[in-house]
Amino acid sequence: MKILIRSTRLSGEPIPGSGETLQAADCLEVVELMRGQTPFTASRAPRDYMTEVLSGIEGGPTQPLPEDAAAAAAEFLTRLARHGLIEFLPDDKASDPWPERFLEALETVRLSGRTNMLDHPEVTRLTAEMGYPEVAEWLTGHRREYAAFVLDGTRPLGKNFGGKEDPAPCADK
């Protein structure tokens, strides 16, 4: 999981295009990294830290966080994102690496001239027929990744990032 913590003005308003990137395995680890950034918050218990930050942002008593620590961290990050204070970023790796013989299989199908490469179901069928069952299996569950490759020649960023602002940011996506 990777997030951008926005810098803020003295008023607390986030500054677009600014901030620091944090990366951790999960929401709880992100909160631990955030908590440890200043000596003023490093000694606070994670739940106290999250509650204090949210009350400062949302003004006064806030809706309580879930009891489970991981769920509380996910809710905390989601609420920060709704206020524009953090942004969820794509991971640095592709969502699901394609099979080893992916490029070879697609080139074989393309050179056969038997289908338009935009016809995903037919390309999937032909890869299996031409001796690439692992590629056909991968294609079955990765339509978006295949389309990104055919149209752009690139691997897509990540399962949770479509290149646009998410209308409702959420930490557990």
Side-chain angles (χ1 to χ4, degrees):
M1 162 173 267
K2 189 181 201 182
I3 66 164
L4 173 69
I5 301 176
R6 296 252 181 246
S7 300
T8 58
R9 294 184 170 86
L10 291 175
S11 64
E13 181 184 343
I15 302 170
S18 68
E20 179 181 344
T21 303
L22 292 180
Q23 189 162 2
D26 57 34
C27 295
L28 198 52
E29 283 187 27
V30 168
V31 170
E32 289 293 334
L33 290 173
M34 291 170 70
R35 189 174 61 90
Q37 287 191 317
T38 72
F40 304 108
T41 57
S43 62
R44 304 202 59 39
R47 179 169 295 284
D48 293 341
Y49 166 75
M50 291 185 287
T51 302
E52 183 179 310
V53 169
L54 289 174
S55 68
I57 294 166
E58 297 175 347
T62 62
Q63 207 170 17
L65 293 168
E67 287 299 316
D68 177 67
E75 174 68 18
F76 171 73
L77 293 176
T78 298
R79 285 160 72 176
L80 291 181
R82 285 187 192 132
H83 289 283
L85 295 168
I86 68 166
E87 179 182 339
F88 297 103
L89 300 174
D91 290 333
D92 292 330
K93 59 184 187 232
S95 62
D96 192 5
W98 54 49
E100 188 176 323
R101 298 189 324 152
F102 178 78
L103 297 174
E104 177 187 334
L106 294 187
E107 185 66 2
T108 301
V109 171
R110 188 184 72 78
L111 290 173
S112 76
R114 293 173 59 187
T115 189
N116 180 323
M117 295 304 286
L118 295 174
D119 186 349
H120 179 265
E122 186 62 12
V123 170
T124 303
R125 188 186 73 71
L126 287 172
T127 54
E129 182 182 295
M130 294 177 168
Y132 302 94
E134 73 284 0
V135 175
E137 183 179 328
W138 186 89
L139 285 170
T140 300
H142 295 84
R143 187 178 201 107
R144 190 186 103 200
E145 289 88 341
Y146 175 72
F149 174 77
V150 171
L151 298 173
D152 301 328
T154 61
R155 292 179 188 228
L157 291 172
K159 287 185 179 177
N160 302 332
F161 186 75
K164 305 182 244 186
E165 279 294 314
D166 200 358
C170 182
D172 62 354
K173 282 187 177 178

